[in-house]
Structures are given as C-alpha cells and as structure tokens.
Amino acid sequence: MSDIARVGVVGCGLMGSGIAEVFARAGLDVLVSEATGEALEFGRTRLTNSLETAVKRGKLTEEQRDQALSRLNFTTDLADFADRDLVVEAVAEREDIKIQIFQTLDQVVRRRDAILASNTSSIPIVKLAAATSRPEQVIGLHFFNPAPVQRLVEVIPTLTTSAETTTRVETFAVQVLDKEPIRARDRAGFVVNALLVPYLLSAVRMFESGVATASDIDKGMEAGCAHPMGPLRLCDLIGLDTIASIADSMYAEYKEPLYAAPPLLSRMVDAGLLGRKSGRGFYDYSATA
C-alpha cells in the first residue's frame, strides 16, 4: 500500500483545484497553496462548487462531500508544506516560476524522501529536478482536465529520478487515486500531447486557411470519426494559451513545423481570446457565462 498520506498542491487554478479534489476524495490530508489570498479564495470556491456539482450529479453523497471538504486546508505560505509526503506543482506554464517553486519546496519540505512532482504538460521535468538537491525524488505527474473525471495520469521520470520514486508514484496513482498511469519519457509533450497537439494545430491551420468553418471542422471529426468533441471546441476547452505554450515547448525541442503554433493561434492568445475561460475563442461563450 502507498506510504503517501499528507499531500500538497501548489496552485489552485483549474488543474490545481481539480488535483486537490482528487486527493481529498481519495481520503488524503490535503494542503493547497496560492500566491495571494484572493487567488486562494477563488480556488476554494471553484473546489467547493465542483464538489457540490458532483453531489447533484449523484457522483458523491453529501457525507462524502463534507468529508472531502474537511480534508482540505489552504495557505499562501509554501513553508507550510514542511510535513508533506508528496507535493504536486500545478501553476502556470512558465519555467521560471516553476523552477523558483521547486527551489523553495526543496528548502522547506523536511522529509528527505518526499516526492516533488510537477503537473506540467510541456516543460522538461529534469530542469525542475536540477533546481533541487534531491533530483532522485522529482518526477512528472500529469493529470488531465477535469482531473476528478479523467482517469489517466502520465508518470514522467527523468534521467535522475530513482526507480523507487517512480514505483511509489505509480502505486499511489493506482491504489490510492484509482487512476490509470502510463509511463512516458521526459520529452516535450510526453505521450498524449505529443499526439494530440499536432492534430489540434492542424485544425487551427485548416480554419485559418478557410477550408471550412469552425463548426464544420468540428462536426467532421465528431460525426465522421466519432470523436466526442471536435478539435476547435477542444482547443477552447483546454485554453488557447495552454495549447500555444505546449506547441512552443514541443517546437523548441523538435524543430518540426507540425509543432509550430499557427499565426492565428498566436494572435488569438495575444488578443486574450483564450476559449471558454475568457468567454471567447473559436466560439463565443459569453451567453453561457
């Protein structure tokens, strides 16, 4: 059985709050941090609302919701992570911010065999490991949105991650979280995004060149290939800024044109048209906001 009982999540945005919910529903002692009190309250509200929705949909009982909420604690001070067995970083896809967080966690987390993990979808894990004095305990643990629903997690050991750390994380994912782990090499995009992102970028290029409308592109993949969601709606769901960030990381590593962000995608990100979270992307969501 897993020896991980006290966990931390750095970041309480869309992914961080989802990961924290997964941990709380699994019976773990969860501590969540954010940079400011305002961001923390926003994340706490998102988490509470998600649990309420699970109750309304019959996925949780009211008792299970209350138990999950009782396991959640919040902080704006990373020093409070001192007693954690596992800390998962889930902040914005910026390498400089993530490195700074790992440097701080390395200093404050007391347990020497504690695991420091990142939920990054594109930044090399080894760069984060190199910022610590315990690279053998650093690993990628990549959840998918929405984390409480999606069963897959990618486990990404680096060249310096110990076999023991990898085994502990995979055991934890299966036995405690009831997730399905797949192991990936520490390469930009890992498994899922290395396959998915070129497909999404191809759909953006098709729309950009006027081959078809956004709705017809999506309908083609939904009705023609039985995809549950078309590529442009999926871009809007993931976030166009996230797609662009992953594309940039993959292009920087492989230098292959299929990974390069199309000009339209870059312009939309610059304009703040990020998809569902901003109210507009390839589709307009303002009426449902």
Side-chain angles (χ1 to χ4, degrees), residues 199 203-204 206-208 210-225 227-234 236 281-285:
Y199 158 67
V204 176
M206 181 175 283
F207 175 71
E208 183 178 39
V211 171
T213 65
S215 61
D216 280 350
I217 291 170
D218 284 343
K219 189 183 298 182
M221 297 308 294
E222 292 165 1
C225 296
H227 287 203
M229 181 180 293
L232 298 179
R233 287 194 187 278
L234 183 54
D236 278 357
F282 290 103
Y283 297 88
D284 189 342
Y285 303 93

Side-chain angles (χ1 to χ4, degrees), residues 26-63:
L28 300 163
D29 175 340
V30 188
L31 181 62
V32 188
S33 77
E34 259 294 355
T36 66
E38 182 180 6
L40 197 62
E41 284 306 309
F42 191 81
R44 189 201 299 260
T45 300
R46 178 190 285 113
L47 228 168
T48 302
N49 290 343
S50 179
L51 288 167
E52 291 289 351
T53 299
V55 172
K56 291 176 182 177
R57 292 179 177 174
K59 304 297 183 181
L60 286 179
T61 65
E62 291 186 357
E63 182 181 4

Side-chain angles (χ1 to χ4, degrees), residues 8-12 31-35 40 73-78 81:
V9 181
V10 182
C12 199
L31 181 62
V32 188
S33 77
E34 259 294 355
L40 197 62
N73 291 286
F74 299 86
T75 184
T76 56
D77 188 353
L78 289 181
F81 286 92

